[in-house]
Amino acid sequence: MSAAPRYIHHVNFPTTDPDRTAEWYSKVFGMKRIMPKSNTRVVLMTRGNFDLHFTPVEEMERMAPYHFAVEVDDWDDFLTHLQELGIRHTRPVRRPENQSRFCYIHDPDHTMIELVHHAKRPN
């Protein structure tokens, strides 16, 4: 047995519109909504290798500069995917020191999401 954590299971963010949020994360990241068997109002989304939860709120508090990051396998394909969905992103930035790129997008509630791609990241 190890005292070290294995990985982050999920993070939870507020949402003002649970159905809109579930649809957006399904389209953008291919996540699937899990319908809980309990009476929870939390929206449970999974990608298989990571989960996101969203708690309904009446009013959104400003979250910037807080964000989470998602690693994408193919930078160009993912940016094309965003363009096809009409989702704007910030100007991509290259980091030559670790052969990575990143930019930011926002979900419908303005939660900031960093998109990251490492060209040669060790497994």
Side-chain angles (χ1 to χ4, degrees):
M1 179 161 56
S2 171
R6 291 181 66 200
Y7 54 83
I8 294 174
H9 179 269
H10 73 270
V11 291
N12 188 304
F13 294 96
T15 178
T16 58
D17 187 329
D19 292 330
R20 177 188 67 191
T21 295
E23 181 181 339
W24 192 87
Y25 280 87
S26 292
K27 285 190 313 188
V28 176
F29 294 113
M31 299 186 82
K32 179 181 175 190
R33 187 173 187 176
I34 305 296
M35 299 308 286
K37 293 186 169 87
S38 65
N39 63 355
T40 183
R41 295 177 49 226
V42 175
V43 175
L44 309 175
M45 302 292 295
T46 188
R47 174 85 185 143
N49 58 342
F50 70 90
D51 294 355
L52 297 174
H53 295 181
F54 299 89
T55 300
V57 295
E58 293 295 319
E59 194 174 306
M60 182 62 67
E61 292 183 30
R62 182 157 171 82
M63 292 183 58
Y66 305 110
H67 70 278
F68 67 95
V70 175
E71 179 88 22
V72 299
D73 287 329
D74 188 309
W75 183 257
D76 295 327
D77 281 354
F78 201 83
L79 292 188
T80 298
H81 171 65
L82 293 178
Q83 183 178 8
E84 290 168 352
L85 293 173
I87 296 172
R88 297 176 56 188
H89 59 80
T90 61
R91 181 183 57 81
V93 176
R94 287 183 179 268
R95 291 184 183 131
E97 65 274 15
N98 67 357
Q99 297 182 340
S100 70
R101 294 186 251 186
F102 71 95
C103 69
Y104 294 93
I105 62 174
H106 291 85
D107 78 4
D109 281 309
H110 306 290
T111 300
M112 187 168 31
I113 304 162
E114 181 179 355
L115 302 175
V116 184
H117 172 73
H118 290 84
K120 295 183 179 179
R121 185 170 199 145
N123 291 334

